[in-house]
Amino acid sequence: MEVGQTPHLDKSWRDAIADEFDDQRLDSLLRFVEAETTAGKTIYPPLPLVFAALNRTPLPAVRAVILGQDPYIRPGQAHGFAFSVPRGMAKPPSLRNVLTELSAEFGYAMPSHGCLEAWADQGVLLLNKVLTVEAGKSGSHAGCGWEAFTDRIIRAVNDRAGHVAFLLWGAAAAKVAPAIDTGRHLAHISAHPSPLARGKFFGSRPFSAANAFLEARQAGAIDWRVEA
């Protein structure tokens, strides 16, 4: 992608955030990412994939949100979906812990890959608070403006009709909980699944909680299996 070219963002999201997050502010964020790249830094995910989760799961399709911190920092891992990696890529420790918890809840076998796009296709928005990161430096783009953008995305989901299960993983994600209308939605907070996290992710049962919430409201359970 050439510098100055804006990656695609699904119209449903553009329309939803236009009142508070206009194109100029979004373009400023993307120019920051381009400037970092021009300066010789490696940025993940590649710019065309920054909005992959939003494009794969348009606003009207959202049934659940998994909210993390920022993308993976190693080559080939980040592809625009929180906690997911492309097929053929080794599972990072955080993802292994996610899949271990999933297995404990439902008895699923550990999948051969860590691509979670099948969840996105069922309406699970796999979103990070910060959508880009410098290679090898977790948290390097925190405070650069992405938080305002993703907070607006969360508010857009919160404001739409229906019921959504928000699974908030880690301290950064938990900060959005006050913005969620728990009279209509679920706000389920877990520790971050990273082995470095001090809190407890195992046993928090986020997937079971999401399905119980959705089924109780006739919204249908999510099939959390990661197929081969």
Side-chain angles (χ1 to χ4, degrees):
M1 173 169 291
E2 297 178 0
V3 173
Q5 183 178 354
T6 301
H8 172 70
L9 176 60
D10 180 84
K11 185 177 184 297
S12 66
W13 293 111
R14 278 198 176 274
D15 290 347
I17 67 176
D19 58 338
E20 292 186 34
F21 207 98
D22 60 25
D23 285 348
Q24 184 176 359
R25 293 173 65 192
L26 179 55
D27 288 346
S28 177
L29 263 176
L30 296 174
R31 284 196 299 272
F32 159 74
V33 176
E34 291 173 342
E36 293 285 279
T37 302
T38 301
K41 299 177 182 179
T42 299
I43 305 300
Y44 299 134
L47 190 56
L49 298 180
V50 167
F51 300 133
L54 295 165
N55 292 329
R56 190 80 175 234
T57 311
L59 178 57
V62 175
R63 303 166 61 211
V65 178
I66 292 179
L67 187 63
Q69 180 175 312
D70 58 1
Y72 293 125
I73 60 174
R74 304 299 177 201
Q77 293 179 329
H79 66 138
F81 301 88
F83 298 100
S84 178
V85 294
R87 289 175 181 262
M89 180 63 58
K91 305 180 193 75
S94 294
L95 178 55
R96 289 200 301 270
N97 286 346
V98 168
L99 297 175
T100 297
E101 173 63 19
L102 180 66
S103 177
E105 290 187 49
F106 297 112
Y108 300 153
M110 181 65 68
S112 61
H113 65 89
C115 182
L116 306 180
E117 290 176 352
W119 294 359
D121 291 339
Q122 295 183 74
V124 181
L125 179 61
L126 297 167
L127 187 69
N128 281 311
K129 282 281 290 179
V130 176
L131 298 188
T132 57
V133 70
E134 183 179 348
K137 297 182 179 180
S138 294
S140 51
H141 287 185
C144 295
W146 281 123
E147 294 90 343
F149 177 80
T150 54
D151 282 351
R152 185 65 189 94
I153 294 295
I154 293 296
R155 290 199 301 275
V157 176
N158 179 75
D159 292 345
R160 64 181 288 260
H163 306 284
V164 175
F166 290 86
L167 307 182
L168 312 177
W169 294 353
K175 290 180 181 179
V176 310
I180 296 171
D181 177 4
T182 53
R184 294 189 299 118
H185 307 303
L186 172 70
H188 186 278
I189 299 173
S190 301
H192 196 280
S194 168
L196 302 177
R198 296 180 180 179
K200 183 180 179 183
F201 179 76
F202 293 130
S204 60
R205 300 183 64 81
F207 307 105
S208 300
N211 276 0
F213 173 83
L214 293 171
E215 288 183 301
R217 288 152 185 82
Q218 291 75 52
I222 293 164
D223 183 354
W224 294 104
R225 288 174 294 184
V226 179
E227 299 289 356

